[in-house]
Amino acid sequence: MESAAVPDAGPSTPAQTTASPAAPLSPASALDAQRRVGLLVTLVLGGLTALPPLSMDMYLPALPQVTDALHAPAATVQLTLTACLAGMALGQLVIGPLSDRWGRRRPLLAGMVVYVLATAVCALASSVELLIGFRLLQGLAGAAGIVIARAVVRDLYDGLEMARFFTTLLLISGVAPIIAPVIGGQILRFTDWRGVFVVCTTIGILLTAVAWRWLHETLPPERRHAGELSGTFGAMRRLLADRVFTGYVVAGSFGFAALFTYVSASAFVVQDIYGASAQTFSLLFGLNSVGIVAVGQLNGKVLVGRVDMDRVLAAGLVLITSAAVALVLLTTGVFGRPGLFEVAAGLFVLMASMGLVLPTTNTQALLRTKYAAGSASALLGTSSFLVGAVLSPLAGIAGDGTAVPMAVTILTCTLVACAAFLGLCVRGRRTVEEP
């Protein structure tokens, strides 16, 4: 596979199209306008990125109520989560290329409108089958926020500014899974499970209105993909022909899979195997989430611009792999039976180091292309969700008496991420540089 030529990476300047399409601004005026609404745009993009995780996690405390209210088996109700996750993965694969063809605003606003309608129907669902179907549609439509937010960042920024912006998005989207179950639990104090979907519908309406008013088109017509839709999806084939881009996608996806394995298995490991209370688990989960956000901000505010981003990524991969090796040694009893403190310390290093890995893989992958940021964003998001969804169930493959499968799955993911970085990214760049 030949490495594609790296597109030009000029100075970091916001796109002129942040101005109203009806009255284009000069580059200097566009820059001033972007600075005036910069914080608002950041919050809008952060909200769009955080909405799907909110839709997933706010609903978790309500699962027992749904089982009782709809008279459905617990396993069937679990499919409402799987359907939403599958929708978010597949939706990115479709909406990303569409945004390269039609611009960012139209697919985003259409997706948000469908999200609001689907979420409202979820609140009114009278059967579990109807709920599963519209949770799938909710995920498909909500994917627009994730994939287009990344594409908009690529449209507006380049180089170091893009890296810094991704760490800011990590701060916003990283907080969402932490607070979502807490918000969901508080909602259930005043209403039933349907109230969770009412709140999500309200948030969706507000985000749609703010995006319609303040998030202007960032992809000018001359940079859009014309022609048939098959040509638009052909951009993905060209992206995957770039071995360096593919390496960052694979490294980021398996890094995310390691994180997703932790999320799916940590409650069982911490509480059932190591005997911690629900309050202790919540504290540890929150501490790990603070760790990934804090390291991500350190990366964006201190390391970006001072340290080569591939070196930052290499350091992050070494740290998560070291933490995974330590977890395997601890859970297999090589050093005797460990306590909760040792395992929790390993998990903290693993999670905090993701603040170096995840935003850097996104940035480095998107820096490889400017001609198809929507398609590139779709490949990043879809691969991460699909790999995470496929591998994370392996954490429970040996039953509920051991944490070894979780540790082995995490280690496998980190090793694949390291191999992709070394074999595709590092080696691919050397191939391009060699005469």
Side-chain angles (χ1 to χ4, degrees):
M1 186 187 302
E2 294 293 331
S3 293
V6 181
D8 62 322
S12 174
T13 55
Q16 180 174 332
T17 49
T18 50
S20 170
L25 299 178
S26 67
S29 299
L31 179 58
D32 291 339
Q34 179 64 23
R35 284 170 177 166
R36 287 196 298 271
V37 299
L39 178 59
L40 181 58
V41 170
T42 300
L43 293 176
V44 172
L45 295 179
L48 293 171
T49 304
L51 184 60
L54 280 174
S55 302
M56 286 285 293
D57 294 348
M58 261 171 58
Y59 173 68
L60 294 178
L63 287 177
Q65 282 194 15
V66 177
T67 301
D68 295 336
L70 298 182
H71 308 290
T76 304
V77 173
Q78 288 284 346
L79 290 178
T80 62
L81 295 175
T82 305
C84 188
L85 181 63
M88 283 190 283
L90 297 176
Q92 294 183 68
L93 200 60
V94 174
I95 297 171
L98 290 180
S99 75
D100 284 335
R101 184 185 183 193
W102 294 332
R104 311 303 183 202
R105 271 179 64 86
R106 283 190 289 174
L108 173 63
L109 294 176
M112 291 301 298
V113 169
V114 174
Y115 170 87
V116 168
L117 295 175
T119 307
V121 174
C122 287
L124 302 173
S126 57
S127 68
V128 70
E129 293 79 13
L130 186 65
L131 183 59
I132 291 172
F134 277 90
R135 283 286 277 176
L136 175 64
L137 183 59
Q138 182 192 43
L140 286 167
I146 301 176
V147 69
I148 292 180
R150 276 195 301 260
V152 167
V153 174
R154 183 64 184 98
D155 294 339
L156 293 176
Y157 300 103
D158 210 338
L160 302 180
E161 289 299 318
M162 184 168 66
R164 293 190 178 102
F165 201 99
F166 271 124
T167 61
T168 302
L169 283 187
L170 178 68
L171 172 63
I172 298 173
S173 60
V175 169
I178 304 173
I179 65 173
V182 178
I183 295 174
Q186 294 304 309
I187 292 172
L188 294 178
R189 294 182 60 186
F190 303 99
T191 182
D192 61 6
W193 64 273
R194 299 181 189 275
V196 174
F197 289 109
V198 171
V199 171
C200 287
T201 301
T202 304
I203 295 173
I205 292 172
L206 292 175
L207 270 176
T208 304
V210 173
W212 177 80
R213 175 65 180 86
W214 294 106
L215 193 62
H216 300 292
E217 181 58 63
T218 60
L219 186 67
E222 62 270 17
R223 283 173 47 199
R224 297 178 190 176
H225 285 235
E228 298 297 326
L229 191 59
S230 59
T232 303
F233 282 99
M236 289 187 173
R237 292 193 297 271
R238 293 192 294 274
L239 288 167
L240 292 175
D242 178 1
R243 63 188 297 177
V244 180
F245 172 84
T246 301
Y248 288 124
V249 171
V250 174
S253 297
F254 278 86
F256 181 82
L259 181 150
F260 206 71
T261 300
Y262 155 79
V263 170
S264 64
S266 59
F268 150 72
V269 169
V270 171
Q271 294 182 81
D272 293 352
I273 295 181
Y274 291 98
S277 65
Q279 291 74 23
T280 300
F281 165 71
S282 298
L283 178 63
L284 292 175
F285 190 88
L287 182 64
N288 290 342
S289 301
V290 169
I292 185 174
V293 171
V295 173
Q297 294 310 294
L298 173 69
N299 181 19
K301 305 299 183 184
V302 178
L303 299 181
V304 170
R306 295 180 175 87
V307 181
D308 178 77
M309 282 190 281
D310 270 350
R311 291 182 180 272
V312 172
L313 178 55
L317 290 172
V318 168
L319 286 171
I320 64 173
T321 303
S322 300
V325 170
L327 286 171
V328 169
L329 295 176
L330 288 169
T331 56
T332 54
V334 172
F335 301 116
R337 179 170 175 79
L340 176 61
F341 176 81
E342 291 85 354
V343 174
L347 290 173
F348 177 80
V349 173
L350 173 78
M351 289 298 295
S353 303
M354 291 294 177
L356 299 176
V357 174
L358 300 183
T360 307
T361 51
N362 280 344
T363 301
Q364 292 290 72
L366 289 174
L367 279 174
R368 299 289 298 180
T369 176
K370 203 167 187 175
Y371 65 85
S375 298
S377 177
L379 288 171
L380 282 165
T382 299
S383 60
S384 294
F385 276 91
L386 288 180
V387 172
V390 170
L391 294 183
S392 61
L394 297 178
I397 196 171
D400 58 1
T402 175
V404 172
M406 178 196 75
V408 171
T409 301
I410 289 174
L411 178 59
T412 301
C413 291
T414 62
L415 290 175
V416 173
C418 290
F421 174 66
L422 293 174
L424 296 175
C425 301
V426 175
R427 188 175 178 183
R429 286 187 186 277
R430 289 176 179 170
T431 301
V432 170
E433 293 170 359
E434 289 174 357

